[in-house]
Amino acid sequence: LGVPAVWGMIHELKSEHDPRILSLGRRCISMWLLAVTCWVNDRIFCSWWASVGFPYLHGAWHVLIFLAAYTAVVLFAYFDVKNKMKWDTVTPVLRYFPSDNFELGIPFVQLKTEERLMSRNR
């Protein structure tokens, strides 16, 4: 699933203009590439890495692939809402926990509604 997901993400990012989404997308793809590099090195050169005293690539792969997968889920949730609810009153906004100003926090998608349409429907 990794290659099709990265291809789909690149396809979605080409039409995106929000710098926060673009930055998170680049970080996600970079983490995925680094995770795959760790995994390939662990699989092919495991005995060599163990002989030099660094048998931790498999653990690094687990951490990096988790971070890349979580980030990809957040990004695809953003793209899904943005693409499927174009004419709705809902707009996806990328936020970070614990502080929205700290882009290395935990990303999540917040759905914003247009107040003027919400007040008219009440």
Side-chain angles (χ1 to χ4, degrees), residues 45-55:
F45 305 113
C46 182
S47 58
W48 184 80
W49 285 109
S51 72
V52 296
F54 192 77

Side-chain angles (χ1 to χ4, degrees), residues 53-113:
F54 192 77
Y56 307 112
L57 287 179
H58 189 79
W61 175 80
H62 277 283
V63 171
L64 289 169
I65 205 67
F66 163 74
L67 293 172
Y70 175 78
T71 305
V73 167
V74 170
L75 285 168
F76 281 118
Y78 174 89
F79 297 141
D80 194 47
V81 171
K82 184 176 179 184
N83 293 334
K84 291 185 178 172
M85 298 185 157
K86 289 180 184 177
W87 299 279
D88 231 349
T89 61
V90 178
T91 305
V93 178
L94 178 66
R95 304 281 311 269
Y96 290 92
F97 176 83
S99 172
D100 198 38
N101 298 326
F102 183 62
E103 287 196 8
L104 294 179
I106 300 169
F108 65 95
V109 175
Q110 182 178 31
L111 301 179
K112 294 281 187 175
T113 56

Side-chain angles (χ1 to χ4, degrees), residues 10 15 75 114:
I10 290 170
S15 62
L75 285 168
E114 293 184 29

Side-chain angles (χ1 to χ4, degrees), residues 15-56:
S15 62
E16 184 58 46
H17 301 291
D18 185 348
R20 295 181 88 183
I21 297 295
L22 293 170
S23 175
L24 188 61
R26 283 192 294 272
R27 278 183 286 165
C28 179
I29 292 170
S30 298
M31 281 188 290
W32 185 82
L33 290 171
L34 188 57
V36 169
T37 302
C38 287
W39 180 76
V40 168
N41 269 289
D42 182 53
R43 296 290 294 171
I44 295 174
F45 305 113
C46 182
S47 58
W48 184 80
W49 285 109
S51 72
V52 296
F54 192 77
Y56 307 112

